Amino acid sequence: MPTLHSLLNSIAILIAVVGGSWEFFVKPRLALLGYGRVLEPIGNTDCKKIQELSACEKIVLHQPTGVLYLACSTPSSRVHWTPAVDRLNATGASREDYVATYDPKTSRINRLQVRNFESSRGLSLHGMDVVPSSSNPSELFVYLVNHRAPLGKLLAKEVGADSVIEVFKTTIGGTTLTHIKTVEDPIIITPNDIVGAADGKSFYFTNDHGVKVGHVRALDNLGRATTSVGYCHLEKGCHYAIQNMHGNNGIAAAPNGTFYVANAVSGGLYVLEKQADNTLVLTDSVPTDRGMDNLSIDSEGSVWAASFPSAMTLIFKHFEDPSIPCPSSALRFSINTDTKTATLGVKYNVEKVSAER
């Protein structure tokens, strides 16, 4: 029988373990999700709503023209069918998602009409890239993540989405999307975002989980590293570019072969270098105080990231009711040119450019 002294010691140890777990494990993760964060709007005085465009998961800027390309759906469909966050009610999914263009100079919107695409499961869009052709700059290749519902009587909640990558082409100022190919492969597991090549024949994509469904996916929120980046060539097939990463979401590539991947769970920007065999090697990471989503690179080489100042609002409120606003913010990453801080190991500047409550 335990003595009073041993019992008190056990209680003291338990309190220390619980307290330590809260201070060093639970509290930092809640902070990343936005718990206790004070949201201060900045950089949003010139913003406006574009009511005609809704539930657009990815926006790509065509820098030569200033026209935006958007992968859009409906708010209702995002509530029912967003595989990345275990929303797997296929009966509520839109099969008619679309790519739209928006010209900020004229406010003109075009919904691109799909050509030569034969699929009873339609388009349920997520990540996207729009890349000028290396042989004809007026031609654009459009790479799309398409989360199809599973075939037959299979239930998405049991087997997950039957996700693929769709490759289309269009032209600058064009109003149609012509289908080139549907890419299916076992390593296209949970595709989230994509970077396409200028020849229309290859692409990199992120898997945001290591498996499609199951309670084990929740372990990724606690640090389990199962996400990956895949590489596919339309004629040569697919292989992993890098595995055992954590929280992979948005991806972008610079002209010099440097790739960037956003961590949506623990925050931070991964920096990777492309190898001769089309694999990627992790060379650096830049911490942030919030999870991040889509990435883009501007003409000066800075990386911009959409980020979640309150992921808890997004997951537990906005996805339940899209009419509830979700706080958002934009971060900009640039090379640190300050010699004083650079010598201390600060390679990148991280700026909060805008924030909205």
Side-chain angles (χ1 to χ4, degrees), residues 200-232:
K201 293 183 178 180
S202 63
F203 55 86
Y204 289 83
F205 65 95
T206 54
N207 281 314
D208 55 41
H209 287 82
V211 294
K212 291 176 180 286
V213 292
H215 296 303
V216 70
R217 282 166 55 104
L219 296 178
D220 289 9
N221 297 325
L222 302 178
R224 191 179 71 146
T226 68
T227 64
S228 58
V229 178
Y231 169 82
C232 293

Side-chain angles (χ1 to χ4, degrees), residues 100-311:
T101 61
Y102 173 72
D103 188 340
K105 296 188 293 290
T106 64
S107 297
R108 182 177 181 180
I109 297 171
N110 276 320
R111 179 169 172 166
L112 304 187
Q113 301 301 309
V114 174
R115 299 285 183 265
N116 299 337
F117 181 66
E118 303 293 337
S119 173
S120 61
R121 291 184 282 174
L123 292 173
S124 297
L125 301 181
H126 194 159
M128 175 182 68
D129 197 15
V130 180
V131 187
S133 168
S134 55
S135 61
N136 179 6
S138 66
E139 184 177 70
L140 306 173
F141 293 109
V142 181
Y143 299 83
L144 296 164
V145 173
N146 184 13
H147 293 306
R148 305 181 303 188
L151 284 170
K153 296 182 179 180
L154 295 174
L155 298 177
K157 291 184 178 181
E158 296 178 357
V159 301
D162 184 16
S163 301
V164 296
I165 306 299
E166 309 286 0
V167 184
F168 289 83
K169 65 180 179 180
T170 187
T171 57
I172 293 176
T175 59
T176 61
L177 275 179
T178 301
H179 190 243
I180 297 174
K181 190 177 180 65
T182 297
V183 182
E184 305 179 61
D185 193 272
I187 75 164
I188 302 176
I189 304 169
T190 55
N192 187 295
D193 199 13
I194 188 166
V195 165
D199 62 0
K201 293 183 178 180
S202 63
F203 55 86
Y204 289 83
F205 65 95
T206 54
N207 281 314
D208 55 41
H209 287 82
V211 294
K212 291 176 180 286
V213 292
H215 296 303
V216 70
R217 282 166 55 104
L219 296 178
D220 289 9
N221 297 325
L222 302 178
R224 191 179 71 146
T226 68
T227 64
S228 58
V229 178
Y231 169 82
C232 293
H233 191 282
L234 270 60
E235 299 168 358
K236 301 176 182 178
C238 303
H239 62 76
Y240 285 110
I242 188 170
Q243 294 179 268
N244 302 318
M245 298 181 70
H246 179 244
N248 283 8
N249 198 293
I251 185 171
N256 65 356
T258 299
F259 280 69
Y260 301 93
V261 173
N263 187 323
V265 180
S266 296
L269 182 73
Y270 295 120
V271 184
L272 308 102
E273 296 298 331
K274 180 180 176 181
Q275 306 301 297
D277 60 356
N278 295 310
T279 58
L280 298 174
V281 173
L282 180 65
T283 59
D284 208 346
S285 61
V286 187
T288 62
D289 66 350
R290 64 198 67 196
M292 304 193 306
D293 194 350
N294 294 325
L295 303 176
S296 62
I297 301 176
D298 66 22
S299 58
E300 297 180 352
S302 295
V303 180
W304 292 69
S307 57
F308 310 122
S310 179

